[in-house]
Each structure stands twice: as structure tokens, then as C-alpha cells.
Amino acid sequence: MALVFGSSGGIGGALVEAIGAANRFEHAVSFSRNTSPSIDLLDESSLERAATFAAAKGELRLVIDATGFLHDERQEPEKGWRQLDAAKLARSFALNAIGPALIMKHVLPLLPRSGKVYSCTNAAPIASAASRMRLRAFNLAGTCGEWFRRRPPRLR
């Protein structure tokens, strides 16, 4: 089974479509703020529920974290250093580093101990997640343009 977190975004949605078109997995499960169950990267229990839900559907073989935060209705991009705000930076760090780490915390124990398993996240260096399916995983770290907030250092 394939599992995609962040399926409502452009990259996550494209990966879900590519996984479905490839016909390599019996099931594909995807999560976002709009799915049932929904996920919230600031709510660890929602991530745990999602992982448990997915594991009940079958053996996990591909896990993709395509979550990411740049801005929303509450938080605009910073255009200069004078606009930096500690609370907003902490929220960005929580969404872009802590959230993906917590996804892995709840998904990794569910992965089988034998056979091929692929996992990729925006919070770690990404190469080809599943070359047999010719999917590309993208590292979004450099797409903030002039913004001063960057994704935190890569988790390893």
C-alpha cells in the first residue's frame, strides 16, 4: 500500500495521481486537512490516528510526506528582516520540521522489516522515492524566493 501525507497540495496531489496511474499498489491512502481522518501537523494525535488508519488498510510499502507550509490566511511571507516574528517562525518550524518528524514517528514502526520500502519527506534529503514508478520527489527547500523564513536544517 502507498501512503501520502499532504495530498491536497500540488505535489501531493500529483503524487497521488501518479501512484494511482502506475497500478503498482493495491491501495493508496492519502491524508490532508480535508480527508477523513484529517491530519493537522500541529496535533500529534491526528497523525497517530492517520497512521493507524492506514496500517489497517494493508502493509505499507511507500510513504510520502508532501506536507509543507509557506503561508496562509494567518501568516504572510516576510519580505524583510524587520517582519520576522518569533511566534510565526516557531509555527513555521512546527509545521515544516516537527510535524514531518512526528509523521515518521508514527509511520516508521508500522513498516515491514523485510522487502522493499520507500519513504520520503520534505524534512529530509529526498532522492527518487520510487524509481520503478518513475515518481519524482521534490525538495521544496529552495522555493521561498526572497522570503527570509526558510525550512529549518534537514533532519537526518
Side-chain angles (χ1 to χ4, degrees):
M1 178 185 54
L3 174 57
V4 179
F5 287 87
S7 60
S8 65
I11 292 172
L15 288 167
V16 169
E17 286 181 29
I19 290 167
N23 256 349
R24 302 259 180 176
F25 295 94
E26 188 174 331
H27 299 298
V29 178
S30 59
F31 296 110
S32 73
R33 291 173 297 215
N34 305 318
T35 59
S36 182
S38 64
I39 60 166
D40 179 349
L41 293 174
L42 301 176
D43 177 11
E44 183 176 355
S45 64
S46 76
L47 304 175
E48 182 178 19
R49 276 192 305 277
T52 302
F53 177 86
K57 299 285 184 187
E59 187 175 63
L60 300 176
R61 289 294 174 174
L62 173 65
V63 178
I64 297 174
D65 170 22
T67 62
F69 172 75
L70 296 175
H71 64 87
D72 61 12
E73 63 282 346
R74 295 186 329 182
Q75 190 169 335
E76 292 296 318
E78 305 88 1
K79 299 295 183 180
W81 62 269
R82 287 183 175 94
Q83 294 177 323
L84 293 176
D85 175 85
K88 291 178 180 178
L89 290 170
R91 182 171 178 252
S92 295
F93 187 84
L95 290 167
N96 289 321
I98 297 170
L102 293 174
I103 287 173
M104 292 301 122
K105 171 186 174 182
H106 294 289
V107 170
L108 291 176
L110 303 173
L111 297 176
R113 294 186 179 268
S114 63
K116 290 184 180 182
V117 174
Y118 299 93
S119 173
C120 68
T121 178
N122 283 335
I126 302 174
S128 175
S131 59
R132 296 167 99 198
M133 293 171 39
R134 300 205 192 313
L135 292 179
R136 280 186 154 179
F138 297 91
N139 182 341
L140 299 178
T143 62
C144 298
E146 295 297 317
W147 301 358
F148 283 75
R149 179 184 69 243
R150 298 284 192 253
R151 287 182 186 260
R154 299 298 186 220
L155 301 175
R156 295 192 194 261

